[in-house]
Amino acid sequence: MTFENLNLIEPILRAVKAEGYTEPTPIQEQAIPVLLKGHDLMGCAQTGTGKTAAFAIPILQLLSGNLSNGNGKRQIKALIVTPTRELAIQIGESFSAYGKHTGLRHTVIFGGVSQHGQVNALKNGIDILVATPGRLLDLIDQHLMTLQNIQFFVLDEADRMLDMGFIHDVKKIIAKLPAKRQSLFFSATMPPEIQKLAATILVKPVKVEIVPVVATTNLIKQSLYFVDKPDKRHLLIHLLQDKSIDSALIFTRTKHGADKVSRDLVKAGIKASAIHGNKSQGARQDALNNFKNKKTRVLVATDIASRGIDVEQLSHVINYEIPNIPETYVHRIGRTGRAGINGIALSFCDTEEREYLKDIHKLISGQIPVVEDHPFPMKHGAAPEPVVKAKTSRWRRR
Ligand code: AMP
């Protein structure tokens, strides 16, 4: 399957090519034709599957046939609601990339910053709006914008909206939308409450479900280090001496842990910063930008803060702590090995975390290869069960 087979218009094909995409991802292959035909869509898919392009491309294509608005100023015709500022910015970047030859205009609005620039962008007239729920309602309440011309509505990461307590705001937004519209609903999981919400938004939706990244994908080289808890930081610093690790995302279970690891690394002369829910939006965005631009080599994150972080060409994921939910392991390591790039996932396991490891092995139906000859082997405790051995060179990027 190629993008040409999806009946996309030339300006979009050109933009997709410029992004270096050679073929559509499964969600794009399934969702784009359905959306171009005008159906509602229920997508069970998480970040990393290419879902942004799966909704952005058809919206751009359908709107580009419909550019003129009489003589008046442009009206907002497509609305994408997403839970966090980081996701909103990333979706905005996707519309810029795929829509750069279409003549369509978009803007991104989110809270935590002055509304001034955002209001000016709205006043200039835009076709597509990407928004977080709170700021969107705020601007509507101030009569600075209206949703009455919306033809396309996308609710992104619905389960996370629920987790973050935004469901009430989302319902208010839905109540302001015109009844005649095309609606798209995306959620990584579909608990009953989310299904109920979807039923209030969608009309006869086509369902597309994308199975999460498979942990055993051969694009991701996984290895496991058994190490005592106090030695984890020494092992980390030791491994990061390898200059071929050009960008590493490190996961900790707690916010406090993320700060501590980042401080240890900085003390050891390694450029690192932490990202988690206790940091201000500005601080989180700075940390993320510096990491993306390769100003900082290491980003330390908690699972919640890391959801939605989309870093292309991330070479290494390091599990400083083994997650207690096995699916989290799969999500974490799926941050690397994206879009055909080889990725490396290293995990540090202390005695207490052995239980979690068992669950992970069960989930991935296999064992993570163990690196035995490292400088910080466990001093106490039983020797690790004999599992698949990894050569030390395994964690090096090919
Ligand atoms: P998303 O799930 O939308 O967050 O996308 C995940 C990543 O995959 C982003 O970095 C996209 O730029 C990239 N991507 C999306 N579609 C494709 C494709 N067809 N081929 C290669 N990379 C893609």
Side-chain angles (χ1 to χ4, degrees):
M1 169 69 81
T2 62
F3 280 102
E4 278 82 5
N5 299 139
L6 292 174
N7 290 324
L8 299 181
I9 53 175
E10 189 279 331
I12 293 181
L13 281 177
R14 201 160 16 120
V16 164
K17 242 187 218 130
E19 285 301 295
Y21 302 172
T22 49
E23 54 183 48
T25 65
I27 192 161
Q28 291 160 8
E29 197 176 314
Q30 292 175 52
I32 293 174
V34 164
L35 292 170
L36 287 177
K37 280 193 198 130
H39 294 289
D40 280 6
L41 181 91
M42 166 120 144
C44 190
Q46 62 190 35
T47 305
T49 52
K51 74 178 158 76
T52 316
F55 66 74
I57 288 174
I59 289 177
L60 285 162
Q61 174 145 337
L62 292 168
L63 282 180
S64 70
N66 171 19
L67 247 183
S68 79
N69 246 321
N71 296 325
K73 110 177 171 190
R74 291 173 191 237
Q75 308 290 348
I76 306 167
K77 293 177 282 294
L79 170 69
I80 295 90
V81 179
T82 191
T84 67
R85 166 182 165 145
E86 288 87 356
L87 280 167
I89 293 171
Q90 277 165 18
I91 294 170
E93 284 168 357
S94 296
F95 274 101
S96 301
Y98 313 136
K100 66 179 165 201
H101 306 301
T102 60
L104 291 159
R105 289 213 297 250
H106 72 274
T107 200
V108 179
I109 64 172
F110 44 77
V113 294
S114 149
Q115 69 176 45
H116 184 71
Q118 300 176 359
V119 172
N120 279 344
L122 291 172
K123 278 191 184 142
N124 287 335
I126 50 150
D127 305 289
I128 299 158
L129 178 67
V130 184
T132 54
R135 177 57 58 94
L136 177 66
L137 284 172
D138 225 19
L139 298 186
I140 295 173
D141 289 346
Q142 294 174 57
H143 304 291
L144 292 167
M145 56 166 292
T146 151
L147 300 182
Q148 67 195 19
N149 299 301
I150 294 295
Q151 299 166 21
F152 301 93
F153 171 62
V154 181
L155 185 67
D156 187 37
E157 304 242 341
D159 52 352
R160 202 159 164 216
M161 295 274 191
L162 190 73
D163 280 353
M164 293 175 71
F166 291 159
I167 211 73
H168 193 60
D169 282 352
V170 167
K171 285 182 179 159
K172 275 197 209 157
I173 294 165
I174 294 162
K176 295 181 194 292
L177 293 170
K180 190 170 171 305
R181 57 168 203 255
Q182 189 176 354
S183 302
L184 292 68
F185 185 100
F186 290 91
S187 193
T189 56
M190 291 287 173
E193 217 172 334
I194 288 295
Q195 288 180 28
K196 238 167 59 197
L197 179 72
T200 66
I201 299 177
L202 303 168
V203 181
K204 293 198 196 135
V206 173
K207 291 188 184 132
V208 173
E209 189 175 342
I210 299 299
V211 207
V213 254
V214 183
T216 45
T217 165
N218 51 18
L219 281 177
I220 305 174
K221 297 260 174 296
Q222 304 170 67
S223 19
L224 184 64
Y225 292 77
F226 285 105
V227 56
D228 289 319
K229 199 184 252 171
D231 281 336
K232 282 191 175 182
R233 67 194 180 109
H234 302 301
L235 177 62
L236 180 64
I237 291 165
H238 165 77
L239 293 176
L240 288 172
Q241 300 309 323
D242 181 341
K243 295 284 181 284
S244 73
I245 304 182
D246 62 348
S247 68
L249 180 58
I250 301 185
F251 286 98
T252 59
R253 255 195 314 266
T254 65
K255 298 170 193 172
H256 175 72
D259 278 334
K260 170 133 192 6
V261 170
S262 151
R263 273 199 311 271
D264 287 343
L265 291 177
V266 171
K267 260 193 232 152
I270 295 164
K271 285 194 174 141
S273 56
I275 185 167
H276 56 65
N278 280 4
K279 300 230 161 182
S280 71
Q281 289 227 326
R284 274 192 289 166
Q285 197 58 44
D286 284 349
L288 190 56
N289 284 341
N290 288 339
F291 186 58
K292 278 187 173 178
N293 304 334
K294 309 245 157 136
K295 278 194 200 144
T296 33
R297 187 169 159 227
V298 178
L299 188 66
V300 192
T302 56
D303 290 299
I304 292 191
S306 81
R307 271 186 78 176
I309 294 180
D310 173 26
V311 179
E312 281 179 49
Q313 314 211 328
L314 170 66
S315 67
H316 286 69
V317 164
I318 302 180
N319 291 305
Y320 192 83
E321 283 150 340
I322 304 287
N324 53 351
I325 300 167
E327 284 80 5
T328 304
Y329 174 80
V330 180
H331 291 166
R332 286 181 179 183
I333 73 162
R335 297 309 169 114
T336 182
R338 290 254 180 110
I341 294 161
N342 278 352
I344 313 266
L346 314 179
S347 301
F348 296 177
C349 181
D350 64 30
T351 312
E352 285 169 20
E353 294 169 321
R354 296 284 277 274
E355 279 306 303
Y356 306 151
L357 198 59
K358 272 193 202 148
D359 294 338
I360 292 169
H361 285 157
K362 212 154 104 199
L363 179 75
I364 66 172
S365 314
Q367 305 227 329
I368 310 169
V370 175
V371 175
E372 288 184 332
D373 48 347
H374 67 80
F376 303 97
M378 282 178 145
K379 295 184 189 75
H380 308 290
E385 63 216 80
V387 280
V388 188
K389 282 189 193 170
K391 297 187 196 88
T392 5
S393 62
R394 263 206 109 110
W395 52 269
R396 276 174 209 279
R397 199 162 187 213
R398 305 251 154 98

